[in-house]
Amino acid sequence: DEFYKIVMNDMVETRKEPGSLRTDFMRDKEKKNIFYINDTFLNEAAIGAHMATPHFLQLKNFMESGGLAADPEFSMPESLDS
């Protein structure tokens, strides 16, 4: 479906970014309509650069347009090993 295509494109393109350390796209084992996207970046500048890319903006626009069944939840965890 459209969501899957957009997220897969975002994941492939994000992995090409110089500040991207890791990107994962996962689905809950029991609740098949729950998805997780986990991106890890080198620093705040890399996050900012990512958020300005066409592939991220396409995903953001899809989510903001009501393309999802529920509002997404976002978090910015803090690294404990740096």
Side-chain angles (χ1 to χ4, degrees):
D1 75 328
E2 186 178 7
F3 171 70
Y4 182 80
K5 289 177 187 175
I6 290 171
V7 173
M8 290 303 293
N9 179 63
D10 179 65
M11 184 179 68
V12 167
E13 295 302 318
T14 298
R15 288 178 175 166
K16 296 176 185 177
E17 294 175 33
S20 175
L21 300 176
R22 182 181 180 109
T23 293
D24 299 301
F25 176 42
M26 300 162 281
R27 180 170 63 185
D28 193 277
K29 285 183 178 181
E30 296 172 7
K31 298 176 183 174
K32 300 296 185 186
N33 63 333
I34 303 291
F35 296 90
Y36 305 93
I37 300 170
N38 180 39
D39 293 323
T40 304
F41 294 95
L42 181 63
N43 53 34
E44 293 290 327
I47 294 170
H50 170 69
M51 294 176 82
T53 62
H55 52 272
F56 174 80
L57 293 173
Q58 180 185 30
L59 176 59
K60 181 178 183 250
N61 290 337
F62 177 81
M63 291 189 293
E64 289 176 348
S65 73
L68 301 177
D71 290 337
E73 295 179 25
F74 296 95
S75 66
M76 295 288 281
E78 177 182 20
S79 176
L80 299 176
D81 66 351
S82 57

